[in-house]
Amino acid sequence: MELLPFFEWAETTFLGYIGKTYGGVYATFGQSLHLMALAVLGGSVLVADLRLLNVIMKDVPSEIVTEQAHKWFRIALVVIICTGIFMAAAVAQRMYHNDFFWAKMSALLVGIIFVFAIKRPLLKGSHADLNPIVIKMVACASILVWFSVAATGRWIGFSG
Amino acid sequence: MINEMLVQFAEWLYATGGSRAIEESFYLYNWIETTHVLTIMVCLGMLAFIDLRMLGYALPNVSASTIADRLNVPMMIGFAIMFVTGLLLFYAKPTYTNQSIWFRIKMVLLVVAFFNAIRFHRHMKASASTWCNEPRAPFNLRVSAALSLGLWAGVVTTGRLIAYDWYHCYRDLPGWLSAAAGCVAE
């Protein structure tokens, strides 16, 4: 499926126009908010996964920590996606030709599938019933995936 | 006077081999910047959870002092790496960064955030035993937590804006802005 026409159209939308015309709006409501949401997402991932790895808050049940962290993960993810769409719309055609944009989108998709199809269903019940090795592998994979999303996102600006 | 001294210092830094090596290396500079961004996730992510706990929005059923104590170590590790990579980024582009109004506002916000953190820890230590199992911290700690979130949001925003040269010295700036940005007569 040819996606270029979609990216060309995205640049002509209201979001694309605002982002392209008003640099201040693009930088603050796009880039800065995106970074702040990334900080919250990173915090929620690390709080939950470092607890699953028994690195922090060993005296607090991991079920409570992962459940609470997930609430903020969802909020941060929504903000990241909304600000990401706004930013991408302004430079959509450049994004289409940027390899790191596609790397980030792939990592983001893997991250979302991993969280909602694997991690959440697995950790829904009592963690004591799960193999500790599996829990630790899930935590490591989660940190790796979300830090890859952030790193590839930063490299979008360095290439193309 | 101080702006002239800062410009001289920045020019001296810019002339050193290390500064040139970092700026001219595509991979080194960009990986330092990427690490700086990744540590935002570690440092500010942990800080956000501590502040949100004080405000009653995260982990309200877990003791506030437990959250603050346990998240403090990874937060400080993240901060240390963020600080070092931040220094290296300044070292790579000292003349440009020194005369960025956004960089200067960021530094002021960092200093205010530092004093707010000291105030927060002092109040926390003095009173935690009386309220730490409550879902929300007392009013003065909530103010500190909200201020901390606001200040760090400002640090992130101004940090991001350093890349934009809308108010740089080679632009036509009003006198007060020119002085605040550290512009000096050629």
Side-chain angles (χ1 to χ4, degrees), chain A residues 40-72:
Chain A
V40 176
L41 184 133
S44 67
V45 166
L46 284 174
V47 164
D49 293 335
L50 291 178
R51 173 62 191 90
L52 291 173
L53 289 167
N54 272 330
V55 176
I56 57 168
M57 294 199 282
K58 290 177 211 172
D59 47 353
V60 182
S62 56
E63 290 87 347
I64 292 176
V65 178
T66 50
E67 197 58 39
Q68 285 284 317
H70 187 69
K71 280 184 191 166
W72 284 97

Side-chain angles (χ1 to χ4, degrees), chain A residues 104-139:
Chain A
K104 178 173 176 169
M105 291 307 108
S106 309
L108 184 64
L109 190 65
V110 169
I112 291 170
I113 292 170
F114 176 76
V115 167
F116 293 99
I118 299 171
K119 191 180 171 191
R120 284 293 292 164
L122 192 75
L123 298 176
K124 235 174 188 170
S126 167
H127 296 180
D129 300 336
L130 298 168
N131 183 336
I133 306 271
V134 172
I135 292 184
K136 285 179 173 54
M137 280 170 65
V138 165

Side-chain angles (χ1 to χ4, degrees), chain B residues 63-130:
Chain B
S63 153
S65 54
T66 300
I67 299 281
D69 284 349
R70 307 298 190 276
L71 299 190
N72 202 39
V73 174
M75 181 181 78
M76 290 315 290
I77 292 171
F79 180 79
I81 302 170
M82 194 163 74
F83 185 74
V84 171
T85 50
L87 280 181
L88 289 172
L89 290 174
F90 178 83
Y91 180 49
K93 292 182 176 179
T95 48
Y96 173 88
T97 314
N98 170 51
Q99 292 187 322
S100 162
I101 186 70
W102 304 116
F103 173 74
R104 289 174 171 230
I105 297 171
K106 179 179 175 174
M107 290 303 109
V108 172
L109 292 174
L110 274 173
V111 171
V112 179
F114 173 74
F115 284 111
N116 183 55
I118 290 176
R119 180 182 177 272
F120 176 84
H121 281 285
R122 196 173 292 161
H123 281 285
M124 176 91 189
K125 257 189 176 169
S127 67
S129 58
T130 59

Side-chain angles (χ1 to χ4, degrees), chain B residues 2-14 95 98:
Chain B
I2 189 138
N3 279 335
E4 276 87 355
M5 283 168 64
L6 286 170
V7 167
Q8 280 174 7
F9 176 65
E11 282 171 350
W12 172 77
L13 274 182
Y14 187 78
T95 48
N98 170 51

Side-chain angles (χ1 to χ4, degrees), chain A residues 6-35:
Chain A
F6 173 75
F7 281 74
E8 286 169 344
W9 167 81
E11 243 180 78
T12 64
T13 60
F14 180 66
L15 277 184
Y17 168 76
I18 294 287
K20 230 184 327 201
T21 315
Y22 303 102
V25 176
Y26 179 81
T28 49
F29 287 98
Q31 294 178 320
S32 300
L33 259 181
H34 199 68
L35 275 175

